[in-house]
Amino acid sequence: QHVLPPEIPLLVTLHMPIGWYRPEAWVTFGDHAQFQCVSQAQRSSFPAFADIPVIEHGVALPEVRLDREREDFALALGRICPEKSVHEALEAGTLAGTPVLVGGHVFPYREHDEYFAEKVQPLLNRGDVSHHFLGPLETEHRQRLLARAKCLLVSSRAPETTSLTAMEALSVGTPIIAYRSGALAEIVEHG
């Protein structure tokens, strides 16, 4: 472990929900660390951080054509794991009669593999609506899909600290359907 001299100021950007950090994280750096949240929702989840700054994430504007016709598919993007609830996006697509393309990574953790095998895979390519798993997507491919999609489905039940995927969708004018989870209400304007 590398220890910085105490006279060097340190900025620690918090990206996860506050409750996901170990309690000793707040004392590890002593008084020479300044913490920073990425959303108002994240900061408000921890009263001791009422006075720390919020510097929101942003995304680069894509270089894709935005004048494309929307196609008849929805997107669900992100890590494939229980707290992201992508199976609910697939169920919603089935109910709406809209194919859902799922892009994301299934990390090699037992619970993620089991979630994909038991909850996601059974909903792919069955019935009248054909959903597809695309796996991890490179930035340019993701942006092209977002520019063509009917909408982005954000089915996460986790207290999102931010959503770069939602910001990417907005940057190409794609509507978002999401739960009011954490900072999503700061990014997506209702209606």
Side-chain angles (χ1 to χ4, degrees), residues 73-167:
F73 69 88
L75 277 176
L77 302 173
R79 286 181 294 117
I80 311 301
C81 57
E83 66 268 16
K84 296 294 185 175
S85 304
V86 73
H87 70 283
E88 291 185 23
L90 293 169
E91 291 169 348
T94 298
L95 288 172
T98 300
V100 177
L101 304 181
V102 177
H105 196 84
V106 181
F107 287 96
Y109 300 111
R110 182 185 51 76
E111 67 180 11
H112 293 199
D113 288 334
E114 288 174 0
Y115 171 75
F116 182 76
E118 295 170 12
K119 292 282 197 169
V120 176
Q121 218 162 18
L123 299 174
L124 300 172
N125 302 319
R126 63 159 234 218
D128 296 336
V129 181
S130 185
H131 307 303
H132 298 282
F133 178 63
L134 305 175
L137 302 173
E138 296 294 325
T139 302
E140 189 176 316
H141 187 201
R142 188 175 62 246
Q143 289 174 340
R144 282 196 313 271
L145 285 170
L146 281 166
R148 294 175 21 228
K150 177 187 286 192
C151 65
L152 173 69
L153 301 173
V154 182
S155 53
S156 177
R157 298 288 189 147
E160 298 295 334
T161 57
T162 191
S163 177
L164 295 175
T165 303
M167 290 178 197

Side-chain angles (χ1 to χ4, degrees), residues 18-104:
I18 301 300
W20 291 16
Y21 290 96
R22 292 181 301 197
E24 59 270 17
W26 315 126
V27 295
T28 300
F29 301 106
D31 292 336
H32 72 283
Q34 170 69 52
F35 293 101
Q36 174 248 310
C37 290
V38 294
S39 67
Q40 298 294 336
Q42 181 189 38
R43 181 173 69 179
S44 68
S45 72
F46 195 56
F49 280 1
D51 295 327
I52 73 167
V54 171
I55 302 173
E56 297 172 349
H57 279 297
V59 296
L61 293 176
E63 295 185 20
V64 297
R65 284 187 31 227
L66 302 179
D67 59 348
R68 298 179 178 175
E69 286 290 320
R70 297 288 172 180
E71 296 178 31
D72 188 30
F73 69 88
L75 277 176
L77 302 173
R79 286 181 294 117
I80 311 301
C81 57
E83 66 268 16
K84 296 294 185 175
S85 304
V86 73
H87 70 283
E88 291 185 23
L90 293 169
E91 291 169 348
T94 298
L95 288 172
T98 300
V100 177
L101 304 181
V102 177

